[in-house]
Amino acid sequence: MSRPLAAIILAAGKGTRMKSDLHKVLHPIAGRPMLLHLIAAVSALKAERTVVVTGAGREQVEAAVSPLGIATALQAEQLGTGHAVAQAEAALAGFDGDVLILYGDVPLVTSATMQAMIDRLNADDAPAIVVLGFRPADAAAYGRIIATDGIIDKMVEYKDATDAERAVDLCNSGLMAVRSADLFPLLARVGNDNAAGEYYLPDVVMLAAADGRRSAVIETGAAEVAGVNSRGELADVEASWQATRRAQAMADGATLIAPETVWFAHDTVIGRDVVIEPNVFFGPGVSIGDGATIHAFSHIEGATVGAKAEVGPFARLRPGAVMGEKSKVGNFVEMKKATLGPGAKASHLTYLGDAEVGAEANIGAGTITCNYDGFFKYKTVIGAGAFIGSNSALVAPVTIGAGATVGAGSVITKDVEADALAIARGKQEASPGWGKRFRDAMAAKKAAAKK
């Protein structure tokens, strides 16, 4: 039977290298703050408690997690990772189970890896602590793990390591799993007699060893535990996430013609047999139905695209846009809080805002739903099978009946009944010979000016 689970997420660092007014852990990856990526992974494991340790910029972090019912604890003074974890003790009072220790700026750790840490903690040999290790291409200044057959002999920070220890390529990610009954008693014994004068979290492993208890290491890939301390590293982690998501989309049956140019959000849903052309951006809240085609240079956010629908090129779907099966929006069409019925088409140069378009309706080039009067938004309803001529302005609130036709260049301010023809434009007048008379007069005027 599984034991109760809690998570402590460290997010107290100042993040000065980001040079930002936004807290480091709130910078987004794939449209979601880094911290919320981690919280989502923890939630998937049905953690009983989650505590975020805050410090500088605590108000921003608290505002981000409080709607989720996540507790916070304050590390008022930055005295090291061991000291930071200790601040969560009060929030975990009375908890008896396993504890994951995570970092808010290490956002890509998966639920599967977290579960593997917990499983190893509860293995038959019952290690005191499980540490997540990795082997980067450049071990740089990471703390080292000296281990034999997965059992830790020693953990040492880079600053305190010997040359031989620095030659080891197994590095400490900082992530741990430990029983709640062990965690805080061990932390209480951690000292700060080291090169940085800080209370190091990894010291709990050696303190457990001094008690005759062994700790274990499991490994993951370096990309999963990549940290973000600068804008450059933020871009690197974004690129890593996107590469993984693109590969998953193709494995699930979508065609990405130029994968490296397609950008997904954390919650993008892509159906089978979807074709995505180059330079497409998906913001949060997008669902693409089976067999749809997304042409190049389209920007889609908060929208639902039905099966076998067609978007773009150069289309923009804003939040609330819904496209029915086999519907189409073409080049330079924008939709916002609008529904396009099955088989309906807006092929080019159109704005559909706060609108409902019926099945098989055709929206001509240059059509605008005039939904805003400077104070309030109003709705346009276009019935099934209606035909809206090019360069028409539909001034909401207005309803165009099913099967109705609006003549090109019309400004429609009143409802049009079903199957009717509506034309609202100025009367065309012609003055024969006017063009020649005008040119002759201008030529005479120029000639006079030269004299």
Side-chain angles (χ1 to χ4, degrees):
M1 185 174 70
S2 62
R3 289 162 46 84
L5 176 65
I8 299 172
I9 302 176
L10 303 187
K14 294 180 179 179
T16 53
R17 289 168 56 192
M18 296 295 286
K19 295 181 172 60
S20 176
D21 293 333
L22 181 66
H23 195 287
K24 176 171 70 171
V25 302
L26 299 181
H27 281 263
I29 300 292
R32 171 194 270 174
M34 287 189 282
L35 178 60
L36 299 193
H37 276 276
L38 265 187
I39 289 174
V42 170
S43 297
L45 299 181
K46 302 189 183 306
E48 187 175 295
R49 301 192 201 181
T50 300
V51 183
V52 177
V53 179
T54 66
R58 60 181 293 194
E59 297 83 5
Q60 291 185 22
V61 177
E62 289 171 353
V65 303
S66 60
L68 305 175
I70 303 294
T72 59
L74 176 63
Q75 185 190 25
E77 194 175 359
Q78 308 294 297
L79 298 176
T81 52
H83 178 261
V85 174
Q87 308 314 302
E89 183 171 9
L92 292 183
F95 176 78
D96 183 18
D98 300 329
V99 180
L100 285 167
I101 300 172
L102 309 169
Y103 292 78
D105 59 0
V106 182
L108 302 188
V109 185
T110 65
S111 299
T113 295
M114 295 179 192
Q115 186 62 58
M117 296 170 68
I118 295 299
D119 291 344
R120 183 66 185 91
L121 185 67
N122 289 287
D124 291 342
D125 62 339
I129 300 164
V130 173
V131 178
L132 185 62
F134 68 108
R135 299 179 190 270
D138 179 6
Y142 290 109
R144 301 302 203 265
I145 301 174
I146 317 300
T148 305
D149 297 328
I151 299 300
I152 298 173
D153 300 316
K154 183 179 181 181
M155 290 181 64
V156 59
E157 293 294 320
Y158 180 85
K159 295 175 183 177
D160 302 308
T162 65
D163 289 343
E165 290 167 342
R166 291 178 179 180
V168 172
D169 67 349
L170 181 57
C171 296
N172 175 25
S173 71
L175 281 68
M176 293 184 178
V178 58
R179 296 168 189 82
S180 58
D182 294 328
L183 176 59
F184 296 108
L186 286 170
L187 285 172
R189 295 162 54 191
V190 172
N192 66 344
D193 184 15
N194 51 60
E198 294 185 348
Y199 297 88
Y200 290 147
L201 177 62
D203 285 358
V204 297
V205 173
M206 303 318 299
L207 289 168
D211 296 339
R213 303 180 63 192
R214 303 193 306 174
S215 295
V217 58
I218 66 171
E219 295 186 39
T220 190
E224 189 175 0
V225 291
V228 175
N229 293 294
S230 67
R231 305 282 183 154
E233 290 174 350
L234 180 69
D236 290 341
V237 171
E238 177 80 42
S240 175
W241 189 97
Q242 293 292 341
T244 299
R245 182 65 183 89
R246 292 165 189 149
Q248 185 63 54
M250 291 185 286
D252 290 341
T255 294
L256 276 60
I257 294 174
E260 69 281 3
T261 70
V262 176
W263 294 83
F264 291 110
H266 66 96
D267 58 353
T268 307
V269 176
I270 304 292
R272 294 182 61 181
D273 294 317
V274 170
V275 176
I276 304 175
E277 293 183 355
N279 298 296
V280 172
F281 181 88
F282 296 98
V286 174
S287 177
I288 308 296
D290 294 347
T293 298
I294 313 299
H295 291 293
F297 294 98
S298 293
H299 188 291
I300 306 174
E301 181 178 1
T304 299
V305 177
K308 299 182 180 179
E310 190 173 350
V311 178
F314 296 98
R316 185 180 182 196
L317 303 185
R318 293 167 57 191
V322 177
M323 294 181 60
E325 183 177 0
K326 296 183 180 179
S327 62
K328 176 184 177 181
V329 295
N331 45 293
F332 305 106
V333 173
E334 180 178 354
M335 289 180 65
K336 187 275 298 183
K337 201 176 179 181
T339 298
L340 204 60
K345 295 179 175 63
S347 295
H348 31 225
L349 303 166
T350 292
Y351 173 67
L352 298 173
D354 297 278
E356 181 181 325
V357 180
E360 303 296 335
N362 188 88
I363 311 299
T367 295
I368 298 172
T369 57
C370 306
N371 58 326
Y372 184 50
D373 66 359
F375 296 93
F376 301 103
K377 298 289 181 70
Y378 302 95
K379 187 174 183 179
T380 298
V381 177
I382 301 171
F387 181 92
I388 311 299
S390 297
N391 203 37
S392 294
L394 309 180
V395 183
V398 69
T399 297
I400 311 300
T405 296
V406 172
S410 293
V411 178
I412 301 299
T413 59
K414 298 178 181 179
D415 291 350
V416 179
E417 65 183 45
D419 295 318
L421 168 64
I423 301 175
R425 58 189 181 220
K427 181 180 178 181
Q428 180 172 318
E429 297 182 354
S431 179
W434 181 92
K436 186 177 186 306
R437 292 195 301 272
F438 177 77
R439 289 192 298 273
D440 289 347
M442 292 301 103
K445 190 172 183 179
K446 285 183 179 180
K450 291 180 179 179
K451 292 182 180 179

